[in-house]
Amino acid sequence: MSEINNQAKLLQATWLAPNNIKAYVTTCKDDFNLALHVNDNEAKVLINRAKLKESLPNTPLWLNQTHSIDVVDWTNIKYDVVNADASISTKSKDVCIVMTADCLPILLSNKTGDFVAAIHAGWRGLDNGIISETIKKLSGYNPNEMVAFIGPAICQKCFEVGKEVLDSFSSKNPSDRQFFMESENHNKYLCNLRKIAEQRLFEAGLKIENISNKNICTKCNTSWFFSYRSSCSTGRFATLIWKE
Ligand SMILES: [Zn+2]
């Protein structure tokens, strides 16, 4: 990823989407928090959001993320804040956006740039099927032709979880055990969210070579990204996408 806009701190996503698809990741530089729900100064967050908007064709379609598997399709509805963890649109200049600080930000489009989708996937969302729910909503498009971007998120080494997380995944998908390593701490495991997401995308029909899985850890790179595991009292960066 490369920095292109200093004021809004945008990094351009590098992936296999065609040129009419624009996709960016913000950073934590200059305390560029974009979340209103993290006890930050509201006026400051709104200034950051206004700065971000200057680089975009429209006001982003912010979600109230709740670790659900709810997906909203903005194509034919008027924007209002809704509870959802993924959004899609086929309309030009609709800016789909998710906020994260360790969870996975995932973007989708296809080789012909017909639609955009942004997904917020923490372990609960992944486990409950947020990826397959989003792809189900895109039923008019062939997953074989889809491209995906998995952005900065916590790495396996940094993401220690209890056995209940391993049990929850492996009760649905026994082969998911391969994405957990025993931690040096008793009854704890290191979970590779990034690889689980890649597997779910593959199972939904995407070709592995069309999935750009960026190995950038939020907790290992706190000078670039917010990380909840690094500090509970932290901001959120955004991953966003639109079609021209
Ligand atoms: Zn890490």
Side-chain angles (χ1 to χ4, degrees), residues 2 8 57 68 81 104 106 112 121 150 153 157 169 184 219-220 222 230:
S2 56
S68 71
V81 177
L104 297 165
I106 303 169
T112 40
I150 305 177
K157 183 169 64 68
F169 276 99
E184 56 192 24
K219 188 163 182 278
C220 293
T222 49
S230 183

Side-chain angles (χ1 to χ4, degrees), residues 195-236:
K195 281 286 171 193
I196 297 175
E198 189 176 289
Q199 179 66 19
R200 294 293 100 85
L201 288 165
F202 175 70
E203 288 162 3
L206 275 81
K207 294 180 183 165
I208 286 290
E209 64 263 31
N210 289 338
I211 302 170
S212 301
N213 201 346
K214 300 294 161 191
N215 222 337
I216 301 169
C217 173
T218 41
K219 188 163 182 278
C220 293
N221 293 284
T222 49
S223 63
W224 280 94
F225 302 105
F226 296 109
S227 168
Y228 184 79
R229 282 274 176 133
S230 183
S231 160
C232 295
S233 165
T234 192
R236 300 288 182 274

Side-chain angles (χ1 to χ4, degrees), residues 14-27:
T14 44
W15 59 318
L16 297 170
N19 288 337
N20 71 316
I21 300 297
K22 305 297 171 193
Y24 298 94
V25 180
T26 69
T27 73

